[in-house]
């Protein structure tokens, strides 16, 4: 077996009296592309610090190849880089004497990450959170490390940028890496090994996440089965020992008494050797909803979505409705105004019905905002929820405990909570509110894989009516039963999410127009040359053919007409 690039052996680590890692062991080889997974709070980020030797352990050893180049993707922009442009930030990572001759590597790296050349001069503080993550990754990659450590690099990225990230790791970066991520599709596409962190130990599988998870769950099931058999045998022996001891007393039989004591010793030995099983996950995500008999909950007609300052038009919403039981997914790149639209809806709720936006009077609206701005950081967990709901203290406490918090943590200030803990408070709020219509803006951003699976089960089985903005492809595909995308300055319904994902294959670089830079555009697609025009024509013809091939009730005549008009315009452009 080849010597690993990096290994952790018998790691012991904890904060105060709480033990986080107990005899944890793992290894990463030169060809390993590792997904590190586990529930929130299990120590994944802490483990990255230990592996990069920026955090000392109580005992154990980190062993790495002396010639290995290790690089860590920063989670936050260092203060001294805030005013620099992204090109300079990456170039500065190269040795001074190599910068002139190797500057072209920065161009290649940024383009591989999906940036346009026009974006190279932008300061990093002008970028969205997702594109900041890409710059920090490029900064870590520019020296071609042997091993790259990444902590949730896809957080805040839209689907288009995540696809670019996947393409980069599949087609361009060939060395080893370890990535913490809760995006199942990303893990399945770019990794070949999975390490689960559970109860302070590491469990390694030479498989991508979904296949590894099947193996890990089978292992967990086998442990439980073995433990049950052992406990069954202990119960049988205990009953026998009790019966013998009783007979010994009743019949004054020393032989029975000795036999009972011998069996009791055997029971003590078996009890000390019982198979260890995993602890149950500490929290559950519940989303309870009220039922509404009305058919239509929301209608939006002839509504223009604008930038937050109202200065520019973004896209038009017309003929948009949500019926009881609909689970609507809004798809689109970051910065197009999806969150602006739902914020406008939330703002209009409770106001007198207008001509553009109308809620059914029976609607009770629940809202989860991606920035978690609803939370009052100055309050404790208990006080925040207790102030919102006129429920008995015991009901509030029970809901908090169910969300995975202890009694002691109920008095913890919300400002001190992690993103994942804040997400659990927001879902606890929804659970107590029990609305009949819920708007969720990026609900999976801070939730681990276990929480996402729970949330999917809850949302799909509850009969809830939902409007969701999301970039987690697996979550959206399973939960959604209607899909909308922003196309040519309009919000249009599509038959399924694959149409949107296919449109990304011929899309422009990931960082192009943001909401703050949006300008009114004509409906005519602008193409640079004949080759691009032909690509767009082929794409539109494929979409048209696919839609015409569906059953009549599933076809989208409005989209078909729109595509046909654009095809005609493109042919005219070719003949010009």
């Amino acid at each position: 077996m080849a010597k690993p690039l990096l290994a952790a052996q018998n790691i012991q680590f904890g904060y105060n009296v709480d033990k986080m890692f107990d005899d944890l062991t793992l290894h990463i080889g030169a060809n390993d592309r590792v997904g590190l997974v586990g529930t929130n709070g299990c120590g994944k980020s802490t483990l990255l610090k230990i592996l990069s030797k920026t955090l000392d352990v109580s005992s154990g050893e980190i062993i790495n190849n002396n010639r290995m180049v290790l690089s860590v993707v920063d989670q936050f922009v260092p203060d001294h880089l805030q005013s620099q442009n992204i090109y300079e930030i990456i170039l500065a990572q190269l040795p001074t004497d190599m910068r002139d001759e190797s500057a072209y590597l920065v161009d290649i790296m940024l383009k591989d990450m999906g940036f346009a050349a026009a974006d190279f001069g932008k300061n990093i503080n002008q970028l969205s959170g997702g594109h900041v993550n890409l710059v920090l990754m490029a900064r870590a990659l520019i020296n071609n490390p042997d091993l790259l450590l990444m902590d949730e690099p896809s957080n805040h990225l839209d689907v288009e940028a995540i696809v670019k990230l996947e393409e980069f790791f599949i087609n361009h970066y060939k060395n080893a890496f370890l990535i913490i991520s809760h995006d199942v599709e990303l893990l399945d596409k770019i990794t070949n090994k999975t390490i689960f962190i559970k109860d302070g130990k590491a469990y390694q599988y030479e498989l991508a996440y979904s296949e590894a998870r099947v193996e890990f769950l089978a292992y967990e099931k086998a442990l439980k089965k073995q433990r049950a058999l052992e406990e069954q045998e202990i119960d049988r022996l205990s009953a026998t020992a009790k019966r013998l001891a009783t007979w010994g007393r009743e019949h004054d039989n020393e032989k029975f008494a000795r036999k009972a004591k011998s069996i009791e010793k055997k029971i003590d030995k078996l009890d000390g050797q019982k198979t260890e099983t995993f602890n149950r996950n500490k929290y559950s995500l519940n989303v309870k909803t009220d039922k509404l008999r009305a058919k239509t909950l929301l209608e939006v007609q002839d509504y223009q979505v604008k930038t937050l300052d109202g200065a520019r038009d973004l896209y038009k919403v017309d003929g948009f409705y949500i019926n009881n039981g609909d689970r609507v997914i809004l798809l689109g790149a970051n910065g197009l105004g999806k969150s602006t639209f739902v914020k406008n809806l939330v703002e209009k709720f409770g106001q007198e019905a207008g001509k553009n936006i109308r809620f059914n009077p029976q609607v009770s609206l629940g809202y989860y905002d991606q920035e978690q701005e609803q939370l009052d950081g100055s309050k404790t967990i208990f006080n925040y929820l207790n102030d919102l709901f006129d429920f008995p203290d015991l009901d509030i406490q029970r809901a908090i405990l169910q969300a995975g918090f202890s009694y002691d943590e109920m008095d913890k200030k919300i400002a001190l909570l992690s993103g994942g803990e804040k997400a659990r408070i927001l879902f606890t709020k929804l659970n107590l509110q029990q609305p009949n219509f819920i708007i969720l803006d990026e609900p999976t951003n801070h939730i681990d894989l276990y929480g996402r699976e729970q949330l999917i089960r809850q949302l799909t089985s509850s009969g809830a009516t939902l409007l969701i903005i999301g970039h987690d492809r697996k979550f959206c595909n399973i939960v959604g039963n209607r899909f909308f995308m922003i196309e040519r300055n309009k919000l249009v319904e599509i038959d399924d999410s694959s149409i949107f994902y296919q449109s990304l294959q011929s899309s422009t670089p990931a960082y192009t127009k943001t909401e703050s830079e949006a300008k009114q555009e004509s409906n005519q697609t602008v193409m640079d040359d004949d080759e691009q025009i032909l690509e767009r024509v082929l794409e539109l013809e494929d979409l048209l053919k696919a839609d015409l091939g569906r059953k009549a009730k599933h076809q989208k005549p409005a989209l078909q007409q729109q595509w046909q008009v654009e095809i005609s315009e493109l042919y005219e452009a070719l003949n010009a």
Side-chain angles (χ1 to χ4, degrees), residues 281-300:
N281 290 306
K282 295 181 180 179
Y283 71 91
S284 60
L285 281 181
N286 293 310
V287 183
K288 294 181 180 178
T289 59
D290 196 9
K291 300 298 180 185
L292 184 65
R293 293 189 177 183
K295 180 183 177 183
T296 302
L297 279 65
L298 170 68
E299 285 185 88
V300 183

Side-chain angles (χ1 to χ4, degrees), residues 102-356:
S102 301
Y104 72 95
L105 295 173
V106 180
D107 296 66
I108 294 172
M109 181 67 68
L110 284 171
K111 287 178 180 176
D112 287 344
M113 288 287 179
F115 287 88
D119 301 321
F120 293 0
K122 293 183 185 293
N123 280 5
I124 196 165
N125 57 17
Q126 294 177 278
L127 306 185
S128 68
H131 292 98
V132 167
N133 286 359
L134 293 177
V135 172
L136 294 176
M137 183 172 295
R139 182 172 179 259
L141 284 165
I142 194 65
N143 281 313
N144 194 30
D146 299 300
L147 175 60
L148 182 70
L149 304 182
M150 299 172 280
D151 192 347
E152 299 202 47
S154 62
N155 250 12
H156 307 294
L157 294 184
D158 58 29
V159 177
E160 186 176 2
I162 292 172
V163 170
K164 297 288 184 186
L165 190 65
E166 287 174 357
E167 290 174 352
F168 176 82
F169 280 101
I170 292 170
N171 300 322
H172 302 288
Y173 183 75
K174 301 301 182 183
N175 294 346
F177 64 76
L178 183 147
I179 180 173
I180 297 173
S181 178
H182 300 308
D183 187 320
V184 172
E185 195 154 342
L186 177 68
L187 290 171
D188 282 344
K189 286 187 176 179
I190 70 172
T191 66
N192 59 19
K193 179 175 180 176
T194 302
I195 299 177
F196 294 91
I197 303 298
K198 185 78 171 177
D199 295 346
K201 291 182 169 59
Y203 299 86
Q204 306 178 80
Y205 295 86
E206 303 294 326
L207 298 165
Y209 171 75
S210 290
E211 291 181 326
R213 180 176 178 273
V214 172
E215 296 287 325
F216 185 61
L217 290 177
Y219 172 64
E220 185 177 15
K221 185 177 180 180
L223 290 179
K224 289 179 180 177
K225 184 177 180 180
Q226 181 62 30
R227 175 68 171 256
L229 290 172
E230 291 165 355
E231 290 179 342
Q232 186 179 346
E233 176 65 8
I234 288 171
D235 290 343
R236 186 187 68 81
L237 291 172
S238 295
T240 301
K242 185 178 180 180
R243 190 161 55 247
L244 288 171
T246 301
W247 289 350
R249 288 192 303 271
E250 290 177 349
H251 301 287
D252 194 22
N253 189 316
E254 186 69 24
K255 181 179 178 182
F256 286 158
R258 285 197 307 270
K259 185 68 173 174
K261 287 182 180 179
S262 174
I263 292 175
E264 286 169 355
K265 287 181 181 178
K266 183 177 181 181
I267 290 170
D268 289 340
K269 184 178 180 181
L270 288 175
D271 196 52
Q273 296 174 342
K274 280 193 298 189
T275 299
E276 288 189 22
T277 57
F278 297 127
N279 293 323
R280 291 183 63 186
N281 290 306
K282 295 181 180 179
Y283 71 91
S284 60
L285 281 181
N286 293 310
V287 183
K288 294 181 180 178
T289 59
D290 196 9
K291 300 298 180 185
L292 184 65
R293 293 189 177 183
K295 180 183 177 183
T296 302
L297 279 65
L298 170 68
E299 285 185 88
V300 183
Q301 300 287 348
D302 194 28
Y303 183 73
Q304 182 66 56
V305 180
K306 298 176 179 290
T307 52
L308 290 174
D309 59 7
R312 300 187 185 94
D313 293 344
L314 292 172
Y315 57 92
K316 191 79 171 285
V317 181
D318 198 13
F320 179 81
Y321 65 91
I322 295 180
N323 285 337
N324 199 1
D326 283 348
R327 300 191 298 269
V328 175
I329 308 291
L330 295 187
L331 299 166
N334 280 344
L336 293 181
K338 301 185 303 298
S339 293
T340 300
F341 177 45
V342 300
K343 285 177 181 177
N344 290 345
L345 294 178
V346 173
E347 185 181 324
K348 295 289 184 184
F349 178 74
Q351 298 180 11
E352 187 175 342
K355 66 175 184 178
N356 304 115

Side-chain angles (χ1 to χ4, degrees), residues 8 19 33 48 100 106 108 149 178 213 259 306 340 368 371 375 381 392 412 445 448 453 457 521 564:
K19 184 178 286 188
R33 302 160 78 83
L48 251 63
D100 288 340
V106 180
I108 294 172
L149 304 182
L178 183 147
R213 180 176 178 273
K259 185 68 173 174
K306 298 176 179 290
T340 300
Y368 179 107
E371 303 299 333
L375 297 172
I381 295 173
K412 192 174 183 179
N445 261 1
D448 59 40
E453 290 171 0
R457 286 195 295 270
E521 299 172 345
Q564 287 169 339

Side-chain angles (χ1 to χ4, degrees), residues 434-564:
Q434 295 192 24
N436 52 38
F437 179 27
I438 303 176
I439 295 177
L440 302 172
D441 189 355
E442 296 289 357
T444 61
N445 261 1
H446 302 284
I447 300 176
D448 59 40
L449 288 167
Y450 166 74
R452 291 183 190 206
E453 290 171 0
Q454 275 202 324
L455 189 58
I456 287 171
R457 286 195 295 270
Q458 285 283 317
L459 296 179
T460 54
S461 64
S462 65
T465 302
L466 307 167
L467 173 59
I468 300 173
I469 296 173
H471 297 312
D472 183 316
R473 287 161 290 179
K474 179 181 178 182
F475 176 86
C476 291
N477 290 342
I478 295 175
V479 173
N481 58 19
R482 292 179 65 200
F483 301 90
F484 287 80
M485 66 181 282
I486 300 165
E487 183 178 65
R488 302 183 72 201
N489 303 325
K490 289 183 180 179
L491 187 67
V492 296
E493 185 166 6
I494 54 178
D495 196 54
D496 58 63
S497 59
S498 64
I499 294 173
F500 169 70
Y501 300 135
Q502 288 168 9
S503 73
L504 299 179
Q505 302 303 315
S506 59
S507 63
T508 53
Y511 185 75
T512 52
K513 182 182 70 174
T514 65
E515 183 175 322
S516 62
E517 300 167 325
K519 296 180 180 179
Q520 283 186 307
E521 299 172 345
S522 69
N523 284 338
Q524 183 177 351
T525 304
V526 178
M527 297 292 184
D528 291 334
D529 53 40
D530 289 352
E531 185 178 342
Q532 286 181 292
I533 294 175
L534 286 169
E535 285 179 2
R536 179 60 177 163
V537 168
L538 292 172
E539 178 188 351
L540 290 168
E541 287 177 343
D542 286 342
L543 289 171
L544 188 58
K545 182 179 179 182
D547 199 57
L548 289 169
R550 296 186 179 97
K551 291 182 179 179
K553 67 178 181 178
H554 295 307
Q555 291 185 23
K556 309 295 179 188
L559 268 180
Q560 291 176 14
Q561 184 178 0
Q562 185 177 317
W563 292 332
Q564 287 169 339

